[in-house]
Amino acid sequence: MARHLITSAIPYINGIKHLGNLVGSQLPADLYARYLRGRGHEVLFLCATDEHGTPAELAAAKAGMPVAEYCAQMHQTQAKIAEGFAMSFDHFGRSSSPENHRLTQHFAGKLAEAGLIAEVTESQVYSNADGRFLPDRYIEGTCPECGYDKARGDQCENCTKQLDPTDLIDPRSAVSGSTDLEVRETKHLYLRQSALKDNLDAWIDSKTDWPVLTTSIAKKWLHDGDGLRDRGITRDLDWGIPVRRGDAEWPGMEGKVFYVWFDAPIEYIACADEWAKANGLDDAAWQRWWRTDMGADDVRYTQFMGKDNVPFHTLSFPATILGSGEPWKMVDHLKSFNYLNYDGGQFSTSQGRGIFMDQALELLPADYWRWWLLSHAPESSDSEFTWENFQTSVNKDLADVLGNFVSRITKFCRSKFGEAVPDGGSWGPAEHQLIEELAARVAKYEALMETMDVRKSAQELRAIWVAGNEYLQSVAPWTTFKTDPAQAAAQTRLGLNLVRLYAVLSAPFIPGAAANMLTGMHASDATWPEDMMQYLNALAPGHAFTTPPVLFAKITDEERDSWQTRFAGTRS
């Protein structure tokens, strides 16, 4: 049994996330965590809400709420939706927690002691109407590249061009809409990332099993243009973690907070502290996951995120940890994803385009979405959600293959033998051939899950389902029963044991349906299959079961057309 620490990129607090956010971080992380637990490993799976910075303040202002109250409410909302999607977090924390305040200020102090913090005077846009400096994202205007009139001061969401506020045409405050802006000087702290460039380069080179997408993005930021640049870690905002050096004041930094991208990754560590406190555990309980001097040297740490988060997790957060000089656990594997697009365009939280997590759960149970998203995960390239593809995949994979198998074998058994595993007959060449095929396919499935090849894992799991259907179709126990009831009983017995096998193997992808299958089979033992012959004899003759209801209802053309029309515009 190994120990696995798993984190997924923590979602911003500013509203409910769309399906593209889900498949880029939380969902594949949950898949991996569930698989590892199923194999008997010790897992700590952490996530949290990212609550500081511009998005939080803007969203709270738009909602007409104090920012702290807004964040508390949205944390509850996101936690409830994550539960609806069956996210198996060990803890879902908050970056505004006291634990993250303490750790962020601690890291800042250690970096300062190491000479890795510089005070820099810079020019920043000030809004006279708002009486405050405006972070880049607080400034809106027209993009000089594409003419989009809602471009932000850091980037145009329409054409993705990186911008400075001074690049914008007709800039205005995103807070008040005022155009009464001027440039003033202000002092900020910078993390001297450039001083750690060689350390980071060597560390990234040591990660030979990282996806090409991850490594190429990290190397690009390290070497292209001017290379790795120092980064500001403070902001002139009211909401955030106050700038301090550990427990001490930081002269000249009064009224400033740490930049959200400095404190947010530290929340991964703080979240473990929150988990320990929530479960009445001492500091050693969480430090054994995060400090190598406390036992974390035998932990394998895996992060999941979209490709836009890769630079911060391969450079800035590692720079913080390395620069502290303390024995913190570094990430071992970073699984990154491309983008999931929506019906010919892009998902967009800020523009309300696409289908969002709460809306998806109103339409269908979580397993429908989990299966489609994971089986179409944007690993090697961007992928696209379309309602036609969603309908086809659900109907063919879940209803026609898995659901059909469970329905056919259980209903046939009930009609001919009753609701108990039948006795009689013995396995012949067809059964042994199936068992041999399943053993090989399960081994391949395990190998793909170990390497986090999400789409290929889904394909192999489906092939395992198909093997059962092809076996049933081939031996046709309903026909065999007419001439040899005992042999039909043996074939049915194998089919019922396959239901339990499919439940256990499918649980990482579709935990709800897997639980229903196990409940229907009255199977309390959900251990992973090691010996296939033994495993498919586990439900012995006389073992009672209950014919489960339909696992997956098909999506009709009328439903598909209705949903496509409903979600063609933007969310209000």
Side-chain angles (χ1 to χ4, degrees):
M1 185 177 75
R3 297 172 60 214
H4 289 267
L5 174 63
I6 300 172
T7 61
S8 63
I10 63 177
Y12 266 135
I13 200 72
N14 63 329
I16 294 165
K17 304 297 108 177
H18 55 65
L19 296 184
N21 297 131
L22 179 63
V23 75
S25 56
Q26 291 182 13
L27 189 52
D30 181 72
L31 175 78
Y32 189 54
R34 285 179 176 277
Y35 168 75
L36 292 172
R37 292 193 194 103
R39 300 302 305 276
H41 298 303
E42 185 181 2
V43 174
L44 184 64
F45 177 25
L46 303 173
C47 193
T49 39
D50 184 357
E51 300 187 10
H52 295 136
T54 305
E57 288 197 351
L58 283 178
K62 187 175 181 179
M65 298 171 64
V67 65
E69 183 181 328
Y70 171 83
C71 288
Q73 182 182 98
M74 285 307 304
H75 172 79
Q76 291 183 344
T77 298
Q78 290 201 21
K80 184 178 180 180
I81 293 172
E83 183 180 351
F85 271 96
M87 295 295 109
S88 61
F89 303 130
D90 289 289
H91 190 74
F92 188 61
R94 303 182 61 185
S95 69
S96 62
S97 68
E99 291 78 11
N100 198 37
H101 276 238
R102 179 180 60 80
L103 265 175
T104 298
Q105 292 166 342
H106 168 82
F107 272 108
K110 288 296 179 182
L111 291 166
E113 289 175 16
L116 293 170
I117 299 291
E119 293 189 8
V120 177
T121 299
E122 59 182 29
S123 296
Q124 194 171 331
V125 174
Y126 185 88
S127 169
N128 290 301
D130 299 309
R132 61 181 295 173
F133 284 100
L134 297 178
D136 294 350
R137 288 173 62 100
Y138 270 42
I139 306 163
E140 293 182 346
T142 300
C143 174
E145 186 77 11
C146 70
Y148 181 60
D149 64 356
K150 292 182 180 178
R152 300 191 308 256
D154 60 347
Q155 185 179 26
C156 175
E157 189 180 61
N158 186 56
C159 70
T160 72
K161 181 176 175 60
Q162 300 288 318
L163 300 169
D164 288 319
T166 52
D167 295 331
L168 295 174
I169 301 168
D170 299 325
R172 60 189 179 276
S173 166
V175 179
S176 62
S178 173
T179 59
D180 185 11
L181 309 178
E182 63 180 73
V183 176
R184 294 187 182 180
E185 286 190 344
T186 183
K187 185 181 291 186
H188 282 291
L189 301 179
Y190 273 66
L191 174 59
R192 297 181 56 234
Q193 295 185 139
S194 58
L196 295 164
K197 179 179 179 295
D198 292 342
N199 306 67
L200 291 167
D201 210 5
W203 175 68
I204 292 168
D205 283 340
S206 72
K207 304 301 176 183
T208 55
D209 65 339
W210 280 11
V212 173
L213 177 65
T214 301
T215 304
S216 61
I217 292 174
K219 288 290 189 178
K220 180 180 176 67
W221 278 64
L222 266 176
H223 300 296
D224 279 12
D226 298 329
L228 186 63
R229 289 182 285 182
D230 298 342
R231 182 170 69 87
I233 61 168
T234 56
R235 288 293 186 269
D236 290 296
L237 292 173
D238 296 325
W239 174 245
I241 297 176
V243 177
R244 298 177 64 90
R245 296 181 56 150
D247 295 330
E249 297 289 340
W250 203 311
M253 292 293 119
E254 296 82 4
K256 298 180 188 291
V257 300
F258 286 108
Y259 180 35
V260 63
W261 263 111
F262 181 69
D263 83 73
I266 296 171
E267 168 59 17
Y268 295 134
I269 306 174
C271 188
D273 191 355
E274 295 170 49
W275 161 78
K277 287 183 172 62
N279 288 279
L281 304 173
D282 60 14
D283 285 346
W286 71 265
Q287 289 174 354
R288 69 186 283 265
W289 291 96
W290 276 107
R291 291 189 62 103
T292 55
D293 59 343
M294 294 289 288
D297 50 348
D298 67 348
V299 170
R300 179 165 173 81
Y301 177 24
T302 308
Q303 293 178 338
F304 290 81
M305 69 198 63
K307 61 184 177 183
D308 53 330
N309 284 331
V310 168
F312 298 102
H313 289 82
T314 56
L315 302 172
S316 298
F317 184 39
T320 297
I321 294 179
L322 288 170
S324 73
E326 296 182 320
W328 297 102
K329 176 66 183 175
M330 302 280 285
V331 67
D332 294 298
H333 190 86
L334 197 153
K335 175 72 173 179
S336 57
F337 291 84
N338 287 284
Y339 294 138
L340 175 68
N341 295 317
Y342 178 75
D343 222 5
Q346 290 183 326
F347 275 99
S348 172
T349 299
S350 60
Q351 300 301 314
R353 188 175 192 282
I355 181 166
F356 290 72
M357 291 172 67
D358 59 335
Q359 297 169 327
L361 291 176
E362 291 172 7
L363 301 183
L364 292 166
D367 283 349
Y368 290 72
W369 304 104
R370 287 178 64 105
W371 174 255
W372 189 91
L373 290 167
L374 290 167
S375 62
H376 293 77
E379 291 176 292
S380 58
S381 62
D382 291 353
S383 58
E384 182 171 11
F385 177 92
T386 68
W387 289 102
E388 291 83 358
N389 186 288
F390 178 64
Q391 177 194 30
T392 299
S393 182
V394 164
N395 290 354
K396 288 189 175 181
D397 298 347
L398 299 181
D400 288 345
V401 180
L402 179 61
N404 181 56
F405 175 84
V406 174
S407 178
R408 288 172 82 187
I409 194 63
T410 54
K411 288 181 178 178
F412 170 74
C413 185
R414 181 178 63 185
S415 69
K416 300 301 182 184
F417 303 104
E419 288 191 321
V421 177
D423 196 2
S426 60
W427 290 348
E431 288 71 36
H432 289 286
Q433 181 179 342
L434 174 64
I435 291 169
E436 187 176 323
E437 178 187 353
L438 288 172
R441 287 200 175 280
V442 169
K444 184 178 178 182
Y445 176 57
E446 291 168 354
L448 291 167
M449 290 288 273
E450 295 285 349
T451 55
M452 290 161 274
D453 286 314
V454 177
R455 292 179 75 151
K456 290 180 179 178
S457 296
Q459 291 166 8
E460 195 59 37
L461 178 60
R462 186 185 188 279
I464 291 170
W465 299 340
V466 167
N469 274 282
E470 291 178 342
Y471 166 75
L472 272 192
Q473 200 64 29
S474 167
V475 300
W478 39 86
T479 301
T480 308
F481 183 81
K482 297 174 184 177
T483 56
D484 191 347
Q487 187 60 27
Q491 295 164 350
T492 303
R493 190 164 60 249
L494 176 56
L496 293 172
N497 274 276
L498 282 175
V499 175
R500 171 175 171 256
L501 172 69
Y502 289 173
V504 172
L505 295 179
S506 305
F509 281 89
I510 45 174
N516 289 339
M517 284 189 276
L518 287 174
T519 299
M521 300 314 296
H522 298 186
S524 57
D525 182 3
T527 54
W528 197 263
E530 300 296 339
D531 182 317
M532 192 59 65
M533 180 70 75
Q534 181 181 353
Y535 203 84
L536 293 177
N537 274 294
L539 302 184
H543 178 93
F545 69 91
T546 304
T547 302
V550 173
L551 284 180
F552 296 98
K554 286 193 173 185
I555 297 172
T556 66
D557 291 349
E558 291 75 20
E559 287 174 319
R560 180 203 66 201
D561 292 343
S562 171
W563 297 338
Q564 188 164 15
T565 300
R566 176 181 169 186
F567 297 103
T570 57
R571 181 174 183 151
S572 60

